[in-house]
Amino acid sequence: MNILKNYINGVWVESVSSETIEVTNPATQEVLAKVPFGEATKTDVAAATKAASDAYNQWRNVPVMKRVQVLYKLKSLVETNIDELAEIITIESGKTRAESIGEIQRAIENIEVACGTPMLMAGDFIEDIASGIDEMMIRQPVGVAACITPFNFPSMIVFWFLPYAIATGNAFIVKPSEKVPLTMMKIFEFIDQLDLPKGLLSLVHGGKDSVDAILEHPEIKAISFVGSTPVARYIYSKGTANGKRVQAQGGAKNPVLILPDADVEMSAKIIADSVYGCAGQRCLAASTIITVGDEKGEIKEAIYESVTSRTTGFGLDQGVHMGPVITAESKTRIERLIAQGVSEGANLLLDGRNPSISGYDNGNFLAPTILENVALDKELIKTEIFGPVMSLISMKTIEDAIKFVNSGKYGNMACLFTSSGASARKFRNEANAGNIGINIGVAAPMAQFPFSGWKDSFFGDLHGQGKHAIEFFTQTKVVIERWPKKWSRKF
Ligand code: NAD
């Protein structure tokens, strides 16, 4: 069985660790590869960091216009190979081919925005801030930076950070999720073709041990993390305690409101896409749907119709809308949450447990599930499920619904469906979440905008993507200069 190599100092090398874990296809349980794991991966991180430090000292002196040239080539390589990449993403993560293509397009958009770094990292200059004195603020790279990423977007999430990090002059280490390392193996085949100093970009595998090595290494100055909230909190507290800059995006529990004046058919379809896209394994998946003043039950009916028309199966097969969840443990956990909801009084409107998927008896499949009348103090309402499960609840007024939105501990996304500008404006202003959707089901910021989680969905100050990423990967330096006129020479 293929044991995955690290990419360190511009070459593919075996991990120092002899411990491995298996990477599996969640639709079939086929073992795809083995990935290095365990304590010894700390040595791999040390080797990658040493190479990164050396490369950084060269790269920071390359003019920014030249640095972004490699991004044009990287974009072209990703675009040319999009079908092959999408297939790898589907095989290791379970999402459908269309979803895999969609996430690669989001990755490409980030490369494109980072190509604007020559403008985005421009500083400020004031001549004669006092007589004969000029002052400027310049941006310089932070040094060696690293990202630690989750399983659910094997390509896109790395690109919220990597293109900005290198365009601004840093060296960068990628530690992908051990559940989906194959996509980054392919991306690093492209990176190997770029004209970069050896060691500038490294790929290091592993789990908690390699992450701890990143958190502890004094030469790593900045860490970008995306994953579950407990780990995000840990990364933020340990990383900042060690003097690093940290941006840590965590989990979510996203509420969506529908008002009686919404376009019911359109809203129902968009909401179903949000809840069940990527099998509910998106940090921007709608989870709790609140119908407001739906006295005749029209909205509920439309949602039910839209959900039941979806097909579950292997993501590379034709006509499949939803793939499996990532692991058997994840499937069992979701089934437990559904059973618990029912035992606590929720009505199971649609039961997606144990679907029969012909030809894929061993896959981690769950079909769409809807529970209604879930009590607000129950786990189903409070916990991130990260699976294809909708909790459908009803409230009388928009005020009650916004109060509910703001009572949650997460703040990744909140959405509203309405045709009223006044209601939309009120919601946009009052809902406590970093990403707001109005008649949008997955309010994913485009690459120009920061990926803006709040509350327990984010730890730090500057988010991923766009100008925030440029700021995160640079430190400001303010220079004040005196040039007395009497020093002027005549030539
Ligand atoms: P995870 O937290 O289990 O793992 C994320 C990364 O952290 C992986 O690389 C993993 O190796 C590492 N890790 C895991 N446990 C660790 C530990 N104890 N110490 C140090 N490192 C550790 O997350 P996941 O299951 O891969 O991804 C799903 C989660 O990610 C969900 O909670 C989802 O909401 C969240 N997510 C958030 C965003 C966002 O933008 N806020 C985006 C995508 C996913």
Side-chain angles (χ1 to χ4, degrees):
M1 176 55 62
N2 177 22
I3 299 179
L4 302 184
K5 290 184 173 169
N6 292 318
Y7 184 80
I8 295 174
N9 206 18
V11 283
W12 293 100
V13 285
E14 280 174 18
S15 169
V16 170
S17 180
S18 52
E19 201 181 318
T20 58
I21 55 168
E22 290 177 343
V23 182
T24 53
N25 176 339
T28 60
Q29 310 303 356
E30 179 200 352
V31 178
L32 303 168
K34 288 186 174 183
V35 67
F37 209 69
E39 177 82 21
T41 57
K42 291 188 169 184
T43 310
D44 299 334
V45 171
T49 310
K50 164 81 180 71
S53 291
D54 295 345
Y56 165 66
N57 287 326
Q58 293 176 49
W59 185 244
R60 67 183 296 259
N61 294 316
V62 174
V64 61
M65 286 299 281
K66 282 210 167 148
R67 291 199 300 250
V68 297
Q69 297 311 312
V70 297
L71 295 181
Y72 291 100
K73 180 152 183 210
L74 181 58
K75 168 179 145 75
S76 162
L77 286 164
V78 172
E79 268 173 349
T80 312
N81 295 285
I82 195 164
D83 291 331
E84 189 186 353
L85 261 179
E87 199 159 304
I88 296 170
I89 294 174
T90 294
I91 289 171
E92 69 175 352
S93 79
K95 61 179 66 172
T96 65
R97 189 195 296 269
E99 289 167 343
S100 299
I101 297 269
E103 77 151 280
I104 300 166
Q105 280 162 342
R106 288 273 177 162
I108 291 170
E109 283 163 17
N110 274 284
I111 303 176
E112 288 167 344
V113 170
C115 286
T117 301
M119 285 290 285
L120 292 169
M121 78 178 292
D124 296 323
F125 181 90
I126 300 179
E127 193 177 45
D128 280 325
I129 200 153
S131 183
I133 296 180
D134 305 331
E135 189 158 2
M136 69 195 85
M137 191 274 291
I138 56 176
R139 289 192 173 279
Q140 295 193 321
V142 294
V144 179
C147 75
I148 300 152
T149 53
F151 79 81
N152 64 332
F153 284 93
S155 73
M156 175 185 76
I157 289 179
V158 169
F159 286 88
W160 289 350
F161 315 111
L162 180 151
Y164 305 97
I166 63 166
T168 50
N170 302 278
F172 200 65
I173 298 169
V174 176
K175 203 305 279 173
S177 165
E178 62 278 24
K179 295 184 183 121
V180 294
L182 299 174
T183 303
M184 272 302 126
M185 295 295 289
K186 182 49 72 181
I187 298 275
F188 268 76
E189 283 179 24
F190 307 149
I191 285 172
D192 190 44
Q193 298 172 44
L194 305 179
D195 187 15
L196 288 171
K198 285 191 185 316
L200 191 85
L201 285 173
S202 301
L203 174 65
V204 180
H205 296 292
K208 180 171 168 45
D209 291 296
S210 51
V211 171
D212 282 342
I214 289 171
L215 289 168
E216 284 156 16
H217 203 298
E219 277 299 305
I220 296 178
K221 305 294 181 196
I223 298 177
S224 305
F225 172 85
V226 182
S228 58
T229 288
V231 184
R233 191 180 270 119
Y234 167 72
I235 302 280
Y236 184 76
S237 62
K238 193 157 179 194
T240 52
N242 287 343
K244 299 176 198 313
R245 221 169 241 221
V246 181
Q247 47 182 194
Q249 301 185 206
K253 181 77 185 171
N254 303 308
V256 172
L257 280 57
I258 324 171
L259 302 189
D261 60 9
D263 178 328
V264 172
E265 209 177 308
M266 180 194 84
S267 310
K269 190 187 165 314
I270 295 175
I271 288 168
D273 283 344
S274 175
V275 178
Y276 303 108
C278 299
Q281 300 171 115
R282 278 191 291 212
C283 67
L284 295 179
S287 181
T288 309
I289 311 302
I290 306 124
T291 62
V292 179
D294 183 28
E295 273 148 27
K296 293 190 204 137
E298 274 175 288
I299 298 173
K300 177 174 134 182
E301 209 169 294
I303 287 178
Y304 185 86
E305 287 295 308
S306 186
V307 173
T308 47
S309 63
R310 304 177 74 85
T311 308
T312 305
F314 177 42
L316 291 182
D317 290 344
Q318 289 292 325
V320 167
H321 302 106
M322 193 174 91
V325 295
I326 189 73
T327 56
E329 295 76 48
S330 175
K331 179 180 178 225
T332 306
R333 177 181 163 273
I334 297 163
E335 287 168 343
R336 177 189 67 72
L337 281 165
I338 296 170
Q340 184 181 331
V342 173
S343 73
E344 288 172 348
N347 176 33
L348 193 53
L349 199 60
L350 188 63
D351 187 356
R353 289 171 295 178
N354 305 313
S356 161
I357 313 288
S358 174
Y360 299 98
D361 294 341
N362 296 326
N364 310 320
F365 289 102
L366 285 157
T369 294
I370 305 177
L371 291 122
E372 61 172 345
N373 302 332
V374 187
L376 299 187
D377 60 345
K378 299 300 179 210
E379 203 178 346
L380 267 183
I381 296 290
K382 295 184 167 178
T383 303
E384 179 177 43
I385 300 172
F386 229 52
V389 180
M390 176 192 296
S391 297
L392 191 57
I393 59 177
S394 56
M395 292 195 178
K396 286 207 168 65
T397 65
I398 185 171
E399 284 77 17
D400 292 343
I402 292 177
K403 201 166 155 201
F404 166 75
V405 167
N406 292 346
S407 68
K409 67 175 183 168
Y410 296 105
N412 221 30
M413 179 186 88
C415 299
L416 173 75
F417 285 79
T418 183
S419 57
S420 153
S423 301
R425 191 166 187 270
K426 176 183 173 67
F427 185 78
R428 183 181 76 202
N429 181 261
E430 294 179 15
N432 289 340
N435 299 295
I436 300 289
I438 305 291
N439 298 315
I440 297 283
V442 179
M446 301 298 283
Q448 292 90 331
F449 289 95
F451 199 105
S452 228
W454 282 16
K455 294 158 80 177
D456 275 6
S457 297
F458 182 70
F459 303 89
D461 299 299
L462 294 163
H463 299 83
Q465 299 198 144
K467 283 190 217 153
H468 272 222
I470 300 283
E471 285 190 41
F472 184 77
F473 290 114
T474 54
Q475 47 196 340
T476 53
K477 185 181 270 182
V478 177
V479 183
I480 184 159
E481 300 183 351
R482 183 195 309 275
W483 293 106
K485 280 218 171 64
K486 63 180 181 188
W487 291 359
S488 300
R489 294 205 194 120
K490 290 200 176 103
F491 294 99

